[in-house]
Amino acid sequence: DAGVIQSPRHEVTEMGQEVTLRCKPISGHDYLFWYRQTMMRGLELLIYFNNNVPIDDSGMPEDRFSAKMPNASFSTLKIQPSEPRDSAVYFCASSRGNEQYFGPGTRLTVT
Amino acid sequence: GDSVTQMEGPVTLSEEAFLTINCTYTATGYPSLFWYVQYPGEGLQLLLKATKADDKGSNKGFEATYRKETTSFHLEKGSVQVSDSAVYFCARYGGSQGNLIFGKGTKLSVKP
């Protein structure tokens, strides 16, 4: 298996623009997680899905952030409008059972 | 609430030194426990795990033993290498919620 796939790997955008991050989980995994990692806050869980249904979105920082999982093989995290403080590395992870497998991350820079 | 506490870094060691990174958890019951490692510029990778009390997880020379008496899961390695320089995260399974609860991470730097 190719592992968790994230795109793009790097994204540079201007403040106010819409940003969409994409994730393809490992086939057969029924949980999908979105995390954000910064130097200041460390690793934060934003939202996670079970069988494509959002279970807990309490970590989503504000209404500018939204996530969808239209099917078992694809999820998006959208930020609209983006702000400089959203600059971070965003990780997607998937699991079946209690082990999570992380993607390589998307490094987002908002100028 | 349920949490994971690990020692704050950074930890700086010389090559071939002994490593211990402390981790304690709070939980009801006996959740599965994990150590993840994050090398520079990469995502987190599972390093080892233990699923029940007294289990010892091991991988790449690293070991950790599930101690229910002290609710601990300390990471150890007898002789570190420069290539072990990374951030190490302790985690416990969230149970029925399906998520993992991570510690804040400990940065390890190994000097030649």
Side-chain angles (χ1 to χ4, degrees):
Chain A
D1 201 315
V4 176
I5 298 172
Q6 291 187 246
S7 64
R9 293 294 311 275
H10 302 273
E11 177 81 35
V12 180
T13 191
E14 293 184 349
M15 180 173 134
Q17 297 298 306
E18 177 180 296
V19 175
T20 299
L21 311 182
R22 297 173 176 79
C23 175
K24 177 178 168 56
I26 293 172
S27 177
H29 283 191
D30 54 354
Y31 280 88
L32 184 139
F33 305 82
W34 282 102
Y35 292 89
R36 178 173 68 176
Q37 186 176 42
T38 61
M39 290 292 291
M40 291 296 294
R41 290 195 158 122
L43 188 68
E44 302 174 275
L45 175 64
L46 300 178
I47 184 172
Y48 70 98
F49 297 83
N50 178 220
N51 292 322
N52 313 338
V53 176
I55 302 301
D56 184 352
D57 65 355
S58 60
M60 297 285 261
E62 40 196 287
D63 292 345
R64 298 184 296 107
F65 286 70
S66 62
K68 294 182 179 179
M69 191 165 186
N71 57 61
S73 58
F74 184 65
S75 177
T76 59
L77 178 68
K78 185 176 294 187
I79 308 173
Q80 165 64 16
S82 57
E83 296 183 4
R85 59 195 168 118
D86 302 331
S87 297
V89 180
Y90 291 81
F91 290 105
C92 176
S94 69
S95 73
R96 180 182 175 87
N98 57 22
E99 290 181 28
Q100 287 186 21
Y101 294 83
F102 281 72
T106 295
R107 181 173 294 276
L108 173 65
T109 303
V110 183
T111 60
Chain B
D2 295 336
S3 65
V4 173
T5 303
Q6 59 182 106
M7 63 187 287
E8 291 193 20
V11 174
T12 302
L13 296 174
S14 297
E15 207 164 22
E16 299 184 4
F18 185 85
L19 168 72
T20 299
I21 301 178
N22 291 339
C23 173
T24 58
Y25 65 93
T26 60
T28 53
Y30 303 108
S32 294
L33 302 173
F34 306 84
W35 277 101
Y36 279 78
V37 59
Q38 184 180 29
Y39 298 104
E42 298 183 12
L44 279 70
Q45 303 172 25
L46 179 64
L47 179 60
L48 55 83
K49 71 174 186 178
T51 57
K52 61 183 188 294
D54 300 325
D55 261 5
K56 177 184 283 188
S58 61
N59 186 23
K60 300 181 181 180
F62 290 89
E63 293 183 340
T65 301
Y66 193 141
R67 304 277 188 206
K68 65 178 181 179
E69 310 83 12
T70 54
T71 61
S72 65
F73 193 54
H74 304 323
L75 182 68
E76 297 182 335
K77 186 174 185 182
S79 177
V80 294
Q81 306 301 311
V82 173
S83 57
D84 294 326
S85 297
V87 181
Y88 293 83
F89 292 88
C90 184
R92 53 145 289 185
Y93 186 51
S96 60
Q97 301 154 327
N99 60 332
L100 289 180
I101 299 170
F102 284 91
K104 293 185 183 300
T106 302
K107 183 175 182 179
L108 170 67
S109 295
V110 181
K111 307 297 184 187

